[in-house]
Structures are given as C-alpha cells and as structure tokens.
Amino acid sequence: MASIRLENIVKRYGAFTGVQNMSLDIADEEFLVLLGPSGCGKTTTMRMIAGLEMPTEGNIIIGGEVVNDIDARDRDVAMVFQGYALYPNMTVYENIRFPLRMRRVPASDQDRMVRTAADMVELGAFLDRKPGALSGGQRQRAALARAVVRQPQVFLMDEPLSNLDAKLRQSMRVQIKHMQRQLRITTVYVTHDQIEAMTLADRIVIMNKGAIQQVGTPDQIYTDPANTFVAGFIGGPPMNLIEGTATGGRFTAPGVNAPCPANLSGRITLGIRPEDCTVGGGQVQGLVYGVEPTGDVTYLSVLAGTKQVEVKAARDFRSDIDVPITIGFDPARLYFFGADGQRIRGGA
C-alpha cells in the first residue's frame, strides 16, 4: 500500500502553533495511533495527511510522493469520522456503494465489492436498511465498510468509537484491528482514549501542545515513559507521580520514604504504577481515602500528606475510610524524573 512521512511539519493559525516541527515515519501496513488530550494537535495532523488542512511548513509524503499540493480527493485516503456521516436517505448498500460510483468503478464490480465490505464488518444482513433503523454500532460499521470498499492506500480514523458505549467500543476495537490486519492497509488512528491506543496500535505517538512527547510500541510507552506527561497519561489509573527530595539514597515527601539512586539529589519526582504498590510495606504512611471494588481488582486511594497514591489491591480487599494504612513499593519498578519532567535514566 503506502508508507507516510511527515518532514518538519508546522501548522500555525495566526500566532498560535497547532503542530510544532513534527517529523514522523509511518511504515507501510502499520497501525499507528496518535494519542493525546484535546487540543494537542493530533486531529490537525491527521487532517493535514488527508489534505483537509495545509501545513504552514514542511512536507507530507505518501507512498514516496510529496502530496502538499495534491487535493484531498486525489490522495487515495479514506477517512472514518467520529460522526457516522452516512446519507440518511440511502440504504446501507447505497451508502457503501457511493464512493465506488464517485470513482466510476465498473458497475459489474460494484455489487461484489459492496457485499464483501459489508460481510467484513458483519452487516450483510442489513444492506436494505437505512441508517435511522440501525444501532450506533451498526452505523459505525457501515461507515467503516464505506471506507473499506474503496481499498485506499491509507485509512485515517478520527475518534471513530467515541460515540459508542463501553461494550460496543470493546467489540469494535477487535473488529477494526482484525479488519486492518486482513486488508494490510496503512492506518492512522486518532484518539484521546489510552485503552484504544494500547489495544489497537503497532506504535503510539503521544502528543501534547502540538509536539510529540514519545513514539513507541504500547509496551515501550507503558514500561519506559520518557517524561512525566507520558507517565501520567498512560495507565488506568495512571502512574503515581510524587514530588519530593532525594538525598543520601532516600526519596522523601510528606508521608513517603523510599529508596532512590545514591547519586540523585535535590527536587525530583518519583513514579510508581498502582499495580507495583502493595498494601503494607512502609514506603507510604497515610489514610484510606477511597475503596472501589470492581470485581477483578479493588482500587485503593491512600492520602499521604496532600497527595493521593493509587493502588491496585487484591479483589477482596476492603477497608473503612480514614483508617491508617501503609503502602509498599516494588523498588525495582520505581521511576525518577527531573525538575524539567524528563526521565532520569541510570540514576544520573
């Protein structure tokens, strides 16, 4: 299909910079997710790839060709939006067939292509219905089929599951990933949902304030965060980030006393993921602030000074509120960050 390269992309809106000097290589057939909070520049980046926005500076290269001056309709990309964007007066069949008619695909091929795309998203039995007679999940699958039927070089998906409930989002994630693996089409997917990013992506690009914070596989992003923004954005609950002081091989903060590399000193931030904390142990002394049983795990919040420390406790853990408690850290899984928020590696 096609690789994508972004070379020093900048997007300005007057004095505001929406995307800052972004360079990125997306491999052929890769499933890449742009992840970040609202306003971080991820959708703007996708719209520039699509040709719906023009970069202020830099080049966008698809399949080895600079496409800055090529219209969106000629870039051979298919987009799936947060809104289903289906024609309400057309049946599912007609909606899926519409891009084939626009591209003047021979009529003899259209029926086969429509039915193949519909079967891929399990809508073969609903082709005669109009969008108003479909559930939200079925409408989103119809939108996916309409994108699939074109067999484009690139799929661009902008928050396609955000309108669905939790159960539908889970089933649609599985369907999207399976479909992408079948079609082997380069896919760029925009979301603010880190669960979607972790479950779908070959690689994740985490963005904030128009800039890339880290690029890596889901495992790399989770286990090796580059800075406090990434560490605090990924994970459910996210990593505990505790500001304190390092001296003489100890890290201290109100209610917290933990080991740290002996050569660290001054103000730093300690990071520890909730699943690497245990009830009992002594690194944290505080009060039970909240207990949330979920069936397979109990989420425990402990107030140490003014800082809440989140713990994934055993499924049967229970406690009253405001009861004194101690929490332990796995010393092999502590992270340390400097005053600038960047990861301190190697204890230096």
Side-chain angles (χ1 to χ4, degrees):
M1 291 297 175
S3 61
I4 303 170
R5 170 171 287 185
L6 307 182
E7 291 184 341
N8 306 116
I9 295 297
V10 176
K11 181 61 179 179
R12 297 191 188 94
Y13 302 92
F16 174 73
T17 301
V19 176
Q20 303 181 37
N21 197 34
M22 184 176 184
S23 293
L24 181 67
D25 285 309
I26 305 170
D28 184 22
E29 300 182 9
E30 183 174 21
F31 197 126
L32 183 117
V33 174
L34 301 176
L35 173 67
S38 297
C40 72
K42 57 189 186 293
T43 294
T44 300
T45 300
M46 171 175 284
R47 287 174 63 84
M48 287 190 288
I49 295 172
L52 302 177
E53 302 255 7
M54 296 299 110
T56 308
E57 298 176 16
N59 291 319
I60 297 172
I61 301 167
I62 300 177
E65 180 183 8
V66 177
V67 297
N68 292 36
D69 298 324
I70 296 178
D71 288 342
R73 65 177 178 271
D74 297 322
R75 292 193 183 187
D76 196 18
V77 302
M79 288 195 71
V80 180
F81 298 94
Q82 176 179 348
Y84 313 120
L86 299 172
Y87 296 104
N89 60 320
M90 294 183 181
T91 64
V92 171
Y93 184 97
E94 292 165 338
N95 267 284
I96 296 173
R97 187 176 66 162
F98 186 78
L100 300 179
R101 293 172 57 196
M102 292 299 98
R103 295 170 71 87
R104 294 183 171 83
V105 172
S108 58
D109 295 331
Q110 290 182 19
D111 184 71
R112 172 184 54 81
M113 295 173 71
V114 168
R115 294 184 184 281
T116 298
D119 288 343
M120 192 171 292
V121 297
E122 300 178 8
L123 278 181
F126 300 90
L127 289 174
D128 60 343
R129 295 192 186 183
K130 291 186 177 179
L134 301 178
S135 68
Q138 289 167 337
R139 292 180 199 178
Q140 194 57 275
R141 281 187 277 155
L144 283 170
R146 188 175 57 189
V148 165
V149 77
R150 285 186 48 194
Q151 300 179 357
Q153 289 191 93
V154 175
F155 282 142
L156 302 176
M157 301 187 184
D158 188 8
E159 304 268 15
L161 307 184
S162 60
N163 288 338
L164 306 181
D165 63 37
K167 185 176 181 180
L168 272 176
R169 284 202 300 271
Q170 192 278 333
S171 63
M172 285 296 298
R173 286 200 304 267
V174 173
Q175 199 155 35
I176 287 173
K177 190 163 188 175
H178 181 76
M179 181 188 71
Q180 196 267 346
R181 290 293 187 264
Q182 278 186 302
L183 297 172
R184 305 175 70 88
I185 293 176
T186 308
T187 300
V188 181
Y189 188 104
V190 162
T191 184
H192 65 275
D193 185 327
Q194 50 108 2
I195 298 298
E196 284 183 21
M198 294 291 287
T199 54
L200 287 171
D202 295 321
R203 285 190 305 154
I204 299 171
V205 178
I206 296 188
M207 299 182 65
N208 188 38
K209 297 179 180 178
I212 292 177
Q213 301 296 308
Q214 187 170 356
V215 181
T217 66
D219 283 343
Q220 289 168 341
I221 294 290
Y222 191 84
T223 62
D224 192 19
N227 54 43
T228 52
F229 178 82
V230 175
F233 196 81
I234 291 291
M239 183 182 290
N240 294 296
L241 296 170
I242 305 168
E243 296 180 1
T245 303
T247 182
R250 302 299 297 181
F251 171 88
T252 58
V256 181
N257 190 312
C260 72
N263 58 340
L264 293 186
S265 63
R267 298 292 295 177
I268 64 170
T269 297
L270 176 148
I272 182 74
R273 291 213 175 271
E275 62 267 29
D276 297 324
C277 302
T278 56
V279 176
Q283 278 81 19
V284 175
Q285 295 185 349
L287 299 174
V288 174
Y289 188 78
V291 178
E292 298 180 285
T294 64
D296 61 332
V297 67
T298 297
Y299 293 105
L300 166 66
S301 295
V302 175
L303 190 63
T306 60
K307 178 69 178 178
Q308 277 183 229
V309 177
E310 305 297 331
V311 181
K312 284 187 177 180
R315 61 188 299 175
D316 58 353
F317 175 85
R318 299 293 184 272
S319 174
D320 292 330
I321 304 301
D322 294 331
V323 173
I325 193 170
T326 62
I327 297 299
F329 294 157
D330 182 344
R333 296 185 178 274
L334 296 177
Y335 298 79
F336 298 97
F337 304 88
D340 60 355
Q342 297 303 303
R343 178 86 171 277
I344 300 172
R345 300 182 184 277

